[in-house]
Amino acid sequence: MPLPFIIGAIAAVAGAGGIGAGIHGGIKMKEASDTVKAAQRRNEQNVAHLETSNSETMEAMDTLGKHEMEIISSFQRFSVAFEQIKNAPSFAEINKDNVTLSVFTPKEVKDAAVGASVLLGGLGGAALGTAGGFAAAGGTTAAVMALGTASTGTAISALSGAAATNATLAALGGGSLAAGGGGVALGTAVLGGATLGVGLLIGGIIFSVAGSSVSSKADKAWNQMLENETKINSICDYLERLKSIAEKFDSALCKVNDVYLNYLSALENTIEEQRKKKSLLARLFSKKVDFNKFSDEQKRTTENTALLVGLLYDMCKVQLVEKSENESELNTINEDVANQQIEKSELAVKQLIAA
């Protein structure tokens, strides 16, 4: 075969091989590109799922936190009513058929009510998760701390709105930044240990997944997506547990509060009835009514109202979330403590209704 034909044949074979290699390489490149795009889409879906879970959980926690502040602030009505009773019994320790509550004083209840009113007033313009932070740290604790002093020296109870909320958060953070404390940011971390708005709910884990991207290299991109997916699924499971216990606790809290408000109204009516029985001169001399002159039913109403205040006070003490010392770990959900309080509340309500 003449040399030109031989060279041409070789060139043709070589060219065909080159085309084959090129097609194979092109297929590989397309597969790699598709893998990266698939990893990015799945990662974005996972992050969206996380954001949805986070939002739903924060809303549940906010609902609970707001209800706790509303309930605690309503204790002001009880305090006003109780202060009008002369020779009132001591409720240092309330016990009703195996339902034992913590020791509390009327002053403690009144102080918590004032603090709760301050915080409740500041929730209007507060960020999502603020009220949930109160529930996480324990509404009673948050309310009592609201009676502290702001870093400016102004009593927090004298402030209102966002100023009151920020002052409380700063106080919880150890004072203002200028005074060497952690300021509002640290206060939010302490009080809002259960909020995810700034990544506090789960510590540093959130920063490794939220808004994350994947590599442009196919294998690495897919592995990164799977790693993030595992973390996100774990976080979403955690958020679902927290949402579930928050909703369950809120439901129990509202049931007790409904019974409490009925008893509180009955107590206020009792006081008014007793006041009307007094002579005009006696009413002018003292606005108080004598507990010793209450009927047995009225005495039970008074005692049961106080018991319900104590029960709600205890329930609002529950710290639903304890912040982990290690930011790479999920915080602890106090499900056992919450469930114990729920059981206690159900037993108390059942006994009161049966009485």
Side-chain angles (χ1 to χ4, degrees), residues 18 24 56 63 93 121 125 143 146 169 174 211 218 261 266 273 318 341 354:
H24 181 70
E56 291 176 351
T63 297
E93 185 174 344
L169 293 176
L261 290 176
E273 288 174 11
V318 173
Q341 283 292 346

Side-chain angles (χ1 to χ4, degrees), residues 52-321:
T52 299
S53 296
N54 165 48
S55 178
E56 291 176 351
T57 301
M58 279 203 296
E59 287 176 4
M61 288 292 290
D62 274 353
T63 297
L64 173 59
K66 186 178 180 182
H67 283 162
E68 288 189 355
M69 290 303 107
E70 290 172 343
I71 288 169
I72 297 171
S73 65
S74 77
F75 291 165
Q76 181 69 21
R77 278 179 61 189
F78 169 75
S79 296
V80 170
F82 195 74
E83 287 172 355
Q84 296 178 69
I85 303 174
K86 181 174 65 175
N87 298 318
S90 172
F91 299 112
E93 185 174 344
I94 304 168
N95 190 318
K96 183 178 178 64
D97 300 333
N98 300 321
V99 178
T100 303
L101 304 174
S102 301
V103 174
F104 75 97
T105 66
K107 183 180 183 306
E108 287 175 323
V109 171
K110 186 175 182 179
D111 287 348
V114 174
S117 297
V118 169
L119 293 180
L120 193 59
L123 288 179
L128 183 67
T130 301
F134 298 155
T140 301
T141 300
V144 171
M145 293 194 77
L147 288 174
T149 302
S151 56
T152 58
T154 304
I156 293 177
S157 57
L159 301 175
S160 62
T165 301
N166 287 339
T168 302
L169 293 176
L172 288 169
S176 68
L177 292 172
V184 174
L186 181 58
T188 303
V190 174
L191 183 59
T195 64
L196 186 57
V198 287
L200 295 171
L201 175 62
I202 54 172
I205 295 179
I206 187 61
F207 297 110
S208 69
V209 291
S212 62
S213 59
V214 294
S215 171
S216 59
K217 295 182 179 179
D219 290 343
K220 187 175 181 181
W222 193 258
N223 289 334
Q224 282 181 336
M225 180 277 295
L226 291 177
E227 183 179 347
N228 280 351
E229 186 172 78
T230 298
K231 292 179 181 178
I232 287 174
N233 287 339
S234 175
I235 294 168
C236 288
D237 288 344
Y238 173 91
L239 290 171
E240 182 57 37
R241 282 174 48 224
L242 180 57
K243 176 174 173 283
S244 177
I245 194 65
E247 290 175 339
K248 184 179 178 182
F249 196 80
D250 183 58
S251 176
L253 190 69
C254 289
K255 286 179 182 177
V256 176
N257 188 52
D258 287 342
V259 177
Y260 156 67
L261 290 176
N262 287 333
Y263 270 97
L264 179 59
S265 294
L267 175 61
E268 291 170 333
N269 290 335
T270 292
I271 292 171
E272 187 59 29
E273 288 174 11
Q274 289 292 328
R275 183 177 287 116
K276 288 179 179 179
K277 291 180 179 180
K278 296 172 64 175
S279 66
L280 178 60
L281 182 62
R283 272 183 275 172
L284 291 173
F285 180 73
S286 174
K287 293 183 179 181
K288 290 191 174 186
V289 296
D290 192 349
F291 182 77
N292 294 328
K293 294 183 179 181
F294 283 19
S295 67
D296 289 342
E297 183 179 351
Q298 290 174 332
K299 287 180 179 179
R300 281 195 300 272
T301 294
T302 304
E303 293 169 353
N304 288 340
T305 305
L307 181 140
L308 288 163
V309 168
L311 180 59
L312 289 168
Y313 189 82
D314 264 4
M315 291 183 77
C316 291
K317 273 184 180 181
V318 173
Q319 186 177 348
L320 210 57
V321 175

Side-chain angles (χ1 to χ4, degrees), residues 19-43:
I19 293 172
I23 293 173
H24 181 70
I27 293 173
K28 283 289 186 182
M29 289 177 63
K30 184 178 184 306
E31 289 176 349
S33 176
D34 289 345
T35 297
V36 171
K37 289 178 181 178
Q40 289 173 338
R41 284 195 302 270
R42 188 158 153 183
N43 191 65

